[in-house]
Amino acid sequence: MRRPLIAGNWKMNGDAAEADALFRALAAVRPGGADLVVCPPFTALAAAQQSLSDTCIQWGAQNVYPAASGAYTGEISPAMLTSLGCRWCICGHSERRQLLGETDDFIRRKVRAVLDAGMMPILCVGETADERRGGRTASVVQREVEEGLRDAAADEAARLVVAYEPVWAIGAGQAATAAEAQEVCGWIRECLFRLFGQDAASSARILYGGSVGQGNIADFLSEPDIDGALIGGASLRADEFISIYDTAKA
Ligand code: PEP
């Protein structure tokens, strides 16, 4: 039985005061049978550690550089993240693929670095609107999963999370339907089966992301291959984020 996971991606939002206020509001959350993770900007990770250490909320980063240390100006290493209590790291978000030119190969190295540091990667995959219109959803998603997880091992599957985030649904206010999301998440699980075998495919968690809110989370969670959600905009609204988590707990 996979434990549901609700993860919030703040993206480049939240200065120090806003992050503190949001952490304080979230700290009221009651634990339950689901995991709750927030991924604020790097600048708020120390505050996350201070504010959330005694709560059921876990925190992670939105990105990492796949090297231990060195001349990588502006970058953050896996050990820097774990030193701030991060247990999670988003890898390969479509905004980084599109705006910052991240390749499958670079993302694969990040996933490996995150696993080596003992953290859990949330590998984001998903097709653009053009790719969907052109009938290429399955091939794009399959390539991103295979390439991103190429260096992972079957016995690491319990720490692997794949987030299916159709690019056309992110920040659009118009989510995929639960049936559309399930179809692709089912393909992702088949892909995990081909890569790592049955046990691993059954234990890895697959999320849907793209305009998820309190109005549609229950639909996604009722699908057999969707184990939770990666949430952008709604993760910045404490009441809505907590309500989404409450639905996942139920
Ligand atoms: C995201 O950025 O990962 C995301 C899913 O954003 P939103 O929920 O705002 O669509």
Side-chain angles (χ1 to χ4, degrees), residues 9 11 93 95 165 169-171 209-212 230-233:
N9 170 18
K11 313 194 190 197
H93 192 282
E95 286 151 14
E165 298 208 304
I170 293 178
S211 298
V212 173
L230 180 57
I231 296 170

Side-chain angles (χ1 to χ4, degrees), residues 28 47 51 65 139 144 157 161 165 167 170 178 182 184 189 192 197 200 212 242:
S51 305
Y65 193 81
S139 61
E144 290 179 343
V161 174
E165 298 208 304
V167 179
I170 293 178
Q182 164 56 32
V184 180
R189 204 168 301 284
L192 293 172
V212 173
I242 291 172

Side-chain angles (χ1 to χ4, degrees), residues 8 34 51 58 70 75 94 100 202 236 239:
S51 305
Q58 303 167 51
E75 295 296 329
S94 62
L100 296 158
S202 312
L236 295 165
D239 288 353

Side-chain angles (χ1 to χ4, degrees), residues 98-127:
Q98 293 196 321
L99 300 172
L100 296 158
E102 288 198 0
T103 61
D104 286 328
D105 186 56
F106 192 39
I107 294 162
R108 172 186 56 76
R109 289 169 51 209
K110 291 185 188 212
V111 169
R112 189 60 257 166
V114 167
L115 288 167
D116 286 341
M119 292 186 287
M120 292 172 269
I122 301 176
L123 171 67
C124 298
V125 302
E127 81 287 4

Side-chain angles (χ1 to χ4, degrees), residues 19-20 23 40-53 59 80-81 83-86:
D20 273 342
F23 292 143
F42 289 133
T43 47
L45 287 173
Q49 185 175 35
Q50 264 197 336
S51 305
L52 303 178
S53 284
W59 57 97
M80 291 171 184
L81 299 179
S83 75
L84 291 174
C86 287

Side-chain angles (χ1 to χ4, degrees), residues 209-234:
S211 298
V212 173
Q214 61 191 1
N216 58 14
I217 183 66
D219 296 341
F220 293 113
L221 289 170
S222 66
E223 297 292 343
D225 287 304
I226 301 180
D227 306 311
L230 180 57
I231 296 170

